[in-house]
Amino acid sequence: MIPIGKERAKLTERGLTLRIIKALRARGYLVTKTHGSALVRGGVGDLIVCYQGRYIELEVKMPGGKVRPLQTQRGVEVHRAGGLWGIVTSVEEALSSLTAPAQSVTVLKDLGELAGGWPDDESVEEFLDDLRGRQVQ
């Protein structure tokens, strides 16, 4: 309970991540939170999700958060390996990106541009066109 006169603390990235995990698990998704260490490759998404045989990585960012080039590179690698990868800034966005990835492609395109473009000369449109065809059913 929040004492009278005290403002609620702002939602942190950690808090947002926990809310996303709870929402996904409640819907039957297998969710693992990754933690950075010397044993974990840089750029790996915050959440590794498995649902109906699909491999999905989600990078959780607060609205306005910046994506690092290493994270963008990881997204391309996951995509090329046949998985889904996305950046989400809310519980609603996480849920919609898993059920209808085409709805979150604008976010992916914008963040890819913020990160300095897509690695290996892969065009953003090619990446997004292919992503539109991959939906978790």
Side-chain angles (χ1 to χ4, degrees), residues 19 23 60 85 115 137:
R19 288 182 183 186
V60 179
W85 178 88
Q137 304 281 324

Side-chain angles (χ1 to χ4, degrees), residues 36-81:
S37 76
L39 300 175
V40 176
R41 186 169 172 245
V44 171
D46 294 312
L47 302 176
I48 296 176
V49 182
C50 185
Y51 186 70
Q52 296 181 346
R54 294 304 306 246
Y55 179 86
I56 305 153
E57 278 188 31
L58 297 177
E59 180 63 36
V60 179
K61 296 286 185 189
M62 294 303 292
K66 291 194 172 210
V67 64
R68 294 176 291 137
L70 202 52
Q71 293 168 323
T72 304
Q73 174 68 40
R74 177 63 179 194
V76 171
E77 292 170 355
V78 169
H79 165 73
R80 286 184 176 159

Side-chain angles (χ1 to χ4, degrees), residues 13 16 20 43 45-46 56-69 71-73 75 84-90 93-94 96-97 101 103-115 118 127 131:
E13 190 169 294
L16 175 59
I20 291 171
D46 294 312
I56 305 153
E57 278 188 31
L58 297 177
E59 180 63 36
V60 179
K61 296 286 185 189
M62 294 303 292
K66 291 194 172 210
V67 64
R68 294 176 291 137
Q71 293 168 323
T72 304
Q73 174 68 40
L84 294 174
W85 178 88
I87 297 172
V88 294
T89 60
S90 69
E93 195 171 80
S96 70
S97 71
Q103 294 177 6
S104 60
V105 295
T106 302
V107 174
L108 290 172
K109 182 176 180 180
D110 292 346
L111 288 169
E113 289 169 356
L114 286 174
W118 296 92
F127 178 83
L131 180 62

